[in-house]
Amino acid sequence: YPLVCLGSLRRAASINAEYMGRKIAISRKTGFRMTRHIVVLDAYGVSLASFAAVKEMMHRLIMDLQVMYPETLKRLYIINTGWLFQAAWRMASNFVHPITAAKIVILGTSYRKELSKAGITEIPDWVM
């Protein structure tokens, strides 16, 4: 998989903001708040060579999301993570707000059972 650039992730975040408008309309109609998000990020292909770029991209993305959409993230699952990614997260999580860090779940390649517990069962075939 090609490395997704920060610009693409920011565009995805702005598209997400458009969905927020729809969720607000549904919230008003149903009487229930529907503005929390569950995100699944596939880290397949992140290697030692791309790690620095991914680390910087994730740092910027998390900081942007904390500022632009506070309290809208319910859970972020990062799947297909290798040992290097997991070790880096253990260190990086010390610099992320504890409330945000608690919402981030790092999963290796055996992620389907955990996602299923969260109600995420429709995973595209192209996801490893």
Side-chain angles (χ1 to χ4, degrees):
Y1 293 108
L3 183 62
V4 177
C5 69
L6 183 59
S8 295
L9 290 172
R10 284 188 175 151
R11 280 192 299 280
S14 69
I15 290 169
N16 198 26
E18 292 176 25
Y19 288 124
M20 288 292 289
R22 293 180 194 161
K23 288 181 178 185
I24 290 169
I26 293 170
S27 296
R28 287 183 180 139
K29 183 177 179 181
T30 63
F32 296 99
R33 183 172 183 227
M34 308 221 12
T35 56
R36 304 284 307 259
H37 300 82
I38 296 175
V39 177
V40 179
L41 181 65
D42 187 3
Y44 180 83
V46 174
S47 66
L48 191 56
S50 63
F51 181 74
V54 170
K55 178 182 159 265
E56 177 62 22
M57 178 180 61
M58 289 302 297
H59 174 74
R60 286 182 168 183
L61 177 65
I62 289 171
M63 293 301 130
D64 283 354
L65 291 174
Q66 286 182 146
V67 170
M68 294 186 303
Y69 308 107
E71 295 304 315
T72 61
L73 180 66
K74 181 175 182 177
R75 183 86 58 226
L76 168 61
Y77 294 97
I78 304 178
I79 63 170
N80 287 318
T81 57
W83 66 269
L84 179 63
F85 193 102
Q86 293 174 25
W89 171 248
R90 280 192 291 278
M91 290 181 359
S93 64
N94 294 315
F95 302 101
V96 176
H97 193 283
I99 293 172
T100 302
K103 296 176 183 181
I104 300 173
V105 180
I106 307 297
L107 302 172
T109 55
S110 300
Y111 57 85
R112 291 183 185 269
K113 184 176 180 182
E114 186 70 25
L115 293 182
S116 180
K117 287 183 204 174
I120 303 168
T121 56
E122 296 182 25
I123 301 170
D125 294 335
W126 51 266
V127 175
M128 298 293 194

